[in-house]
Amino acid sequence: MLELVAVSLAAVHFGIPLVYYWYAKTRWLPKPWNIEINDSYTPKVTIIVPTYREADIIVGRLDNIRSQDYPGDLTEIIVVDSGSDDGTADIVEEWASQHEDVNLRLIREDKREGKAKALNHALNYASGDIVIIADADATWPSNSMREAVKWLADPTVGAVSCLKRPNISGPAEVEEGYRHYYNMLRIAESKAYSTPIFHGELAAFRKDLLEEVGGFPTDIGADDSHTAARIALMGYRAIIPEGLWIEERVPRRGYGMWRVRRAQHLIQHFIKLLGEDLGTKGRNKEFRKIVKVEAFLHLINPWILLIAFSLLLVGAAQSSLGSVLMLTVGVVALVVRMYRVWVLQQLNLLVAALRNLVTRELVWSKQAKV
Ligand code: GDD
Ligand code: MN
């Protein structure tokens, strides 16, 4: 009996994401974008680089942004630093004085109150039609701005983000199979309508819409994803297109905590999103579906696995042969990389949910990524 319940729960836990994957891949992914791309669309763009203790990498990042093949006179860079004590702001000032051709404004906050507050602060000074959030830990190929902006030429598109590739192998490499699953879903959801998961390493928004949603939310961590989802709920598309790859620096130490913190923020995002008006009709229909499934996958599904596992433990303690067998299969299967990565991600989400009860990590500790 115990085993039957456990197997059913496991079937739900693994079945729902598999069915969703299959559905997204066969129904949504082949769809046309239905977006009028314009390669020669060149609006004024404001790039906001939020920094907290980025002295080691900020010069490379500014050089990287400067080498974008986008007209310099249509690019404004705002670096907003939240009182870093490692000289980040001074380095930026120095860089600006060496590159007077670049339109750069530095905002020094004396107090650190988190990334979202800093972004909102910078937004007050942004003069572009498009605002792109550009985390310091990202490296963009030189065509990234163009590749993002061309989609925003279509008035139905409100926000565009990227696909991420880790800069090193090592812990990040383990993610490859999972990344494939994850990226395919982002693109498929975008084709269906919009994806509720964005990346601050490159997240472009129409500025009028950012203003309409009141800037970035400061009560949750996933400011980028949440803002994109709000824009999608307003009836504009928030998409991640296929070709827009950027490279992200991955911490060599504290990798596990890094994953947990990000999971904490995603959980906060989905809880907040479910509390918002998802609308009842019209073009948001697909997005409502997407939000519900993703919320289920992030908020509930990990617990189903935990319950199934616990039931089998109880069974094994009562020396039920069935439970012992099934537990063994579940554990031995960890040699399969994709399964292992999946289970690890479930663990991340479980730890993150519990950790959210203690701290929301809205101001998080800096992990070295050099
Ligand atoms: N101004 C300012 N103030 N910037 C900050 C602060 C702050 O308090 N905290 C972090 N930043 C900056 C970092 O310097 C970096 O440029 C960017 O925000 C992202 O922070 P990281 O510490 O590098 O975090 P990450 O790579 O794990 O971030 C990912 O997850 C976050 C949510 O957990 C990205 O997807 C972020 O965009 C996302 O906000
Ligand atoms: Mn990052």
Side-chain angles (χ1 to χ4, degrees):
M1 183 54 200
L2 236 141
E3 285 88 1
L4 194 66
V5 178
V7 168
S8 314
L9 289 176
V12 169
H13 173 85
F14 291 102
I16 290 184
L18 277 174
V19 169
Y20 185 57
Y21 178 82
W22 169 81
Y23 184 91
K25 194 168 176 164
T26 56
R27 298 287 181 90
W28 291 339
L29 198 62
K31 274 192 176 187
W33 281 98
N34 289 323
I35 291 173
E36 197 89 30
I37 297 171
N38 181 353
D39 288 303
S40 50
Y41 176 60
T42 38
K44 176 150 191 212
V45 177
T46 299
I47 295 184
I48 302 181
V49 186
T51 59
Y52 178 69
R53 307 186 97 234
E54 301 289 12
D56 293 338
I57 59 173
I58 191 61
V59 164
R61 183 61 171 124
L62 292 174
D63 288 340
N64 174 243
I65 292 173
R66 181 165 175 266
S67 62
Q68 286 291 301
D69 60 12
Y70 199 81
D73 54 337
L74 293 171
T75 308
E76 167 188 60
I77 304 176
I78 303 182
V79 177
V80 53
D81 182 74
S82 303
S84 301
D85 55 8
D86 64 349
T88 303
D90 293 338
I91 295 172
V92 172
E93 208 165 272
E94 169 81 21
W95 188 90
S97 69
Q98 290 163 357
H99 299 89
E100 276 169 357
D101 57 315
V102 177
N103 173 6
L104 185 148
R105 176 195 291 268
L106 167 67
I107 302 175
R108 292 174 184 258
E109 298 187 312
D110 1 298
K111 209 165 124 234
R112 183 181 186 205
E113 289 183 292
K115 181 184 172 192
K117 284 209 176 147
L119 293 180
N120 287 334
H121 193 170
L123 213 46
N124 292 327
Y125 298 91
S127 67
D129 304 308
I130 304 295
V131 170
I132 307 186
I133 307 306
D135 286 353
D137 63 0
T139 306
W140 294 353
S142 60
N143 62 353
S144 300
M145 278 175 77
R146 278 190 181 283
E147 284 298 311
V149 164
K150 71 179 189 188
W151 298 86
L152 289 152
D154 188 318
T156 64
V157 179
V160 177
S161 192
C162 60
L163 298 165
K164 302 198 282 189
R165 185 182 287 130
N167 69 321
I168 49 164
S169 49
E173 199 186 33
V174 199
E175 284 183 291
E176 216 177 281
Y178 182 76
R179 281 255 160 232
H180 168 80
Y181 161 86
Y182 178 95
N183 286 333
M184 196 290 294
L185 284 184
R186 296 293 82 76
I187 298 166
E189 290 170 346
S190 300
K191 283 193 165 181
Y193 183 68
S194 290
T195 182
I197 299 182
F198 257 44
H199 306 302
E201 287 74 19
L202 188 166
F205 301 94
R206 255 173 62 183
K207 196 175 123 230
D208 57 336
L209 299 178
L210 272 185
E211 277 162 359
E212 213 169 318
V213 300
F216 297 94
T218 53
D219 57 337
I220 56 160
D223 43 77
D224 26 43
S225 295
H226 203 73
T227 304
R230 295 273 310 273
I231 286 175
L233 290 177
M234 277 164 59
Y236 298 89
R237 290 178 68 181
I239 60 163
I240 293 187
E242 298 112 323
L244 192 44
W245 284 94
I246 62 95
E247 195 177 274
E248 179 187 24
R249 284 172 185 268
V250 168
R252 288 159 200 262
R253 272 195 288 154
Y255 182 75
M257 268 325 293
W258 181 62
R259 296 289 306 266
V260 167
R261 185 246 302 159
R262 286 152 73 119
Q264 280 184 259
H265 290 167
L266 278 180
I267 289 172
Q268 294 163 14
H269 159 50
F270 281 110
I271 291 176
K272 189 170 161 83
L273 197 52
L274 289 180
E276 269 153 33
D277 181 12
L278 298 184
T280 47
K281 55 176 193 293
R283 60 221 279 209
N284 278 339
K285 203 179 92 208
E286 296 289 22
F287 190 58
R288 229 167 27 246
K289 220 189 278 175
I290 291 166
V291 167
K292 285 181 183 161
V293 176
E294 291 292 352
F296 170 84
L297 293 178
H298 286 85
L299 303 178
I300 299 173
N301 208 32
W303 297 95
I304 297 180
L305 184 65
L306 181 67
I307 296 171
F309 180 73
S310 309
L311 286 177
L312 292 181
L313 276 185
V314 171
Q318 294 167 352
S319 18
S320 139
L321 189 62
S323 290
V324 173
L325 262 176
M326 281 156 59
L327 266 181
T328 312
V329 171
V331 171
V332 169
L334 288 172
V335 298
V336 180
R337 192 166 85 167
M338 181 70 193
Y339 171 77
R340 185 170 65 239
V341 172
W342 178 267
V343 171
L344 262 176
Q345 173 62 2
Q346 305 310 304
L347 265 177
N348 268 336
L349 286 163
L350 288 170
V351 174
L354 295 175
R355 200 140 189 282
N356 266 341
L357 301 174
V358 185
T359 163
R360 293 165 70 78
E361 289 279 336
L362 298 185
V363 177
W364 57 86
S365 53
K366 158 92 193 144
Q367 265 125 348
K369 291 179 182 162
V370 186

